[in-house]
Amino acid sequence: MTDQTDKYKFVCLDPKKQKRKNIEKTLLSSGPLTFLKLPPIGLKNFPETLERVDTAFSAATKIPKSKVLQSVKRLILRLQYNGSRRFFLSHPDHIAVAWNGLNGTRRVFMDGAKDAAAQTLFFELSPFKGRITVDPKGVNFANSLPRSAQPYLDWAAQSGVNDTEWHALRDQIAQRPPIHSVELEENPGRLEEKFIFIPLQVQGDSQLRLFGGQFKTVEKYVETIVDAAQKLPEGWHIRIKEHPSAPKFVRDILGVGNNKLILDNVTDTFSQVKQSQAVMTINSSVGMEAMFFDKPVVACGLCFWAFQGNAENAKTLEEISALFQNPEDIAFEQETRNAFLNYLHLVYYPQIDRIEPTMISHRLNKADEFGFWETQ
């Protein structure tokens, strides 16, 4: 589109407060930045319009219960998609920017830009303090990172980076405070035994709806874990922690006297991570964070980090049961893990206050021999 000395033109759906400040810090030195309160509107449909609207509607954070209001929401999304696509067809030199960009209005805005062959940048906070996600394809599972070990290994070999550079991020990882106050229960103990730790997500989390695979609700996931836990060998148990900001329900499912499963809402999340033999999650960020404590990790949903050598996948009751039957076999390859974590630390999650225009240009122009910024 442009060489690295040119200024880019960014058009961003206006996020709230700190998110806007983070986008401004990241992009203002790379070119003019225009914020829109709402996407443009367009009446005439494109061949892809209804499909894009269906996707955005199903991914929306709030879906009305009323059929009439659902129709109104679909109409708004349709007009926004059409208008966004026509805007970027008319302004092919502009780059679409959104925070997250996976849901509702922001989804159709970014889809309209992509379908108009415009460039895009997706923003999201990283799991690490002071760091940010800036990706030309998407965030979370929708991002542009490779789904195999080789690109990370090739990058590590050429960069000559120390295998343990990523240790610098470990001290930043801590349990997030709950949004609401929680009533603490009695500590159930048994941390000295062998266990697999399962940190739960918030019911209705968009990560579950979009990328949960067979586990789009926390309840279904817990019921599956209860069934599969019976396969654990003697001396092992499952340790579950409910999300501190979510309503509590697991105790009712576990029942009384089930020595294969323990609910521990008291012990700090990362204290349980550190003392576990493995961590299993649908697609919580705790899964990736557990890698910084040298733990084998199992993904039950769709996760960009769950590729061979870095983490295990178990996406059905049968696969989870098979892993539980032989929990000692859950493992990872240290060389692959080192390369992956170093890439996150040194490249993928930049520090918000240290972003150079060349970084934005690098990602937009896919200037990487290992294919990290490919958007197709």
Side-chain angles (χ1 to χ4, degrees):
M1 178 187 111
T2 178
D3 66 46
Q4 294 187 16
T5 62
D6 290 338
K7 289 285 188 178
Y8 294 104
K9 298 175 183 177
F10 302 102
V11 180
C12 178
L13 281 189
D14 195 358
K16 295 179 180 179
K17 299 178 182 177
Q18 189 58 48
K19 294 175 182 178
R20 175 171 174 151
K21 290 180 181 177
N22 287 336
I23 290 175
E24 288 174 334
K25 279 184 183 179
T26 305
L27 295 181
L28 281 178
S29 60
S30 296
L33 175 57
T34 301
F35 284 99
L36 303 177
K37 290 294 183 184
L38 292 170
I41 296 298
L43 293 175
K44 188 176 180 181
N45 285 354
F46 292 89
E48 298 84 4
T49 296
L50 296 183
E51 180 184 350
R52 300 293 185 261
V53 169
D54 285 343
T55 301
F57 180 83
S58 63
T61 304
K62 296 180 181 178
I63 298 178
K65 293 183 180 180
S66 160
K67 295 292 185 183
V68 172
L69 292 179
Q70 288 182 15
S71 297
V72 171
K73 188 175 184 72
R74 285 181 178 276
L75 172 61
I76 292 171
L77 292 172
R78 177 169 65 82
L79 296 174
Q80 291 174 335
Y81 170 80
N82 292 337
S84 298
R85 184 163 174 178
R86 285 202 167 78
F87 174 85
F88 287 104
L89 284 170
S90 300
H91 301 83
D93 59 335
H94 285 54
I95 298 163
V97 179
W99 192 272
N100 186 275
L102 296 176
N103 305 305
T105 292
R106 284 177 170 75
R107 179 70 176 248
V108 291
F109 176 74
M110 298 303 274
D111 279 350
K114 285 182 177 181
D115 290 341
Q119 290 182 290
T120 55
L121 278 178
F122 294 79
F123 280 72
E124 184 71 275
L125 288 178
S126 93
F128 310 105
K129 186 177 180 180
R131 307 258 183 153
I132 198 166
T133 303
V134 188
D135 194 293
K137 185 178 181 182
V139 298
N140 303 321
F141 185 70
N143 69 25
S144 61
L145 289 175
R147 302 313 197 248
S148 63
Q150 200 57 52
Y152 299 100
L153 293 169
D154 292 344
W155 168 82
Q158 181 164 305
S159 67
V161 63
N162 186 297
D163 284 346
T164 58
E165 286 277 352
W166 56 267
H167 287 185
L169 276 185
R170 186 156 47 195
D171 292 341
Q172 299 181 24
I173 299 174
Q175 176 175 291
R176 296 161 185 79
I179 297 174
H180 309 292
S181 60
V182 294
E183 182 179 343
L184 293 181
E185 306 166 1
E186 182 180 351
N187 189 312
R190 294 179 62 183
L191 283 164
E192 73 284 354
E193 298 177 10
K194 291 183 177 181
F195 67 90
I196 297 171
F197 177 50
I198 299 181
L200 300 182
Q201 291 158 253
V202 176
Q203 294 95 314
D205 183 346
S206 63
Q207 290 304 299
L208 302 181
R209 290 185 287 106
L210 295 173
F211 307 126
Q214 291 196 11
F215 306 111
K216 298 191 184 301
T217 69
V218 181
E219 289 87 349
K220 181 177 180 182
Y221 185 53
V222 172
E223 289 167 358
T224 300
I225 296 301
V226 170
D227 287 345
Q230 307 315 309
K231 300 292 187 180
L232 284 169
E234 194 65 32
W236 282 76
H237 69 271
I238 300 298
R239 202 171 194 91
I240 296 176
K241 182 170 186 179
E242 293 174 287
H243 194 283
S245 299
K248 304 298 179 278
F249 71 95
V250 171
R251 191 171 299 284
D252 294 336
I253 295 178
L254 297 188
V256 179
N258 191 337
N259 66 353
K260 292 290 187 183
L261 293 116
I262 287 180
L263 176 63
D264 185 351
N265 289 331
V266 178
T267 308
D268 177 87
T269 296
F270 292 100
S271 292
Q272 296 194 67
V273 167
K274 292 172 189 176
Q275 295 184 73
S276 70
Q277 275 60 54
V279 174
M280 177 178 279
T281 177
I282 302 176
N283 51 24
S284 167
S285 60
V286 176
M288 187 177 69
E289 290 166 325
M291 297 179 190
F292 285 83
F293 298 96
D294 290 319
K295 296 299 175 180
V297 181
V298 181
C300 300
L302 301 177
C303 303
F304 70 88
W305 41 260
F307 53 86
Q308 187 173 359
N310 198 49
E312 304 264 10
N313 281 282
K315 294 182 166 56
T316 65
L317 168 62
E318 293 72 24
E319 291 173 353
I320 295 171
S321 297
L323 281 179
F324 284 178
Q325 198 162 5
N326 299 287
E328 298 277 8
D329 293 341
I330 304 174
F332 63 91
E333 296 170 5
Q334 191 65 62
E335 184 182 12
T336 296
R337 178 71 65 80
N338 288 340
F340 174 71
L341 296 183
N342 271 333
Y343 192 82
L344 297 186
H345 169 42
L346 298 172
V347 181
Y348 189 70
Y349 292 128
Q351 297 183 56
I352 296 171
D353 295 328
R354 297 186 184 179
I355 293 176
E356 299 290 335
T358 52
M359 187 208 79
I360 300 300
S361 181
H362 184 94
R363 298 184 186 203
L364 285 171
N365 289 301
K366 300 184 282 294
D368 190 293
E369 63 187 282
F370 308 110
F372 282 100
W373 306 112
E374 294 296 330
T375 56
Q376 299 301 320

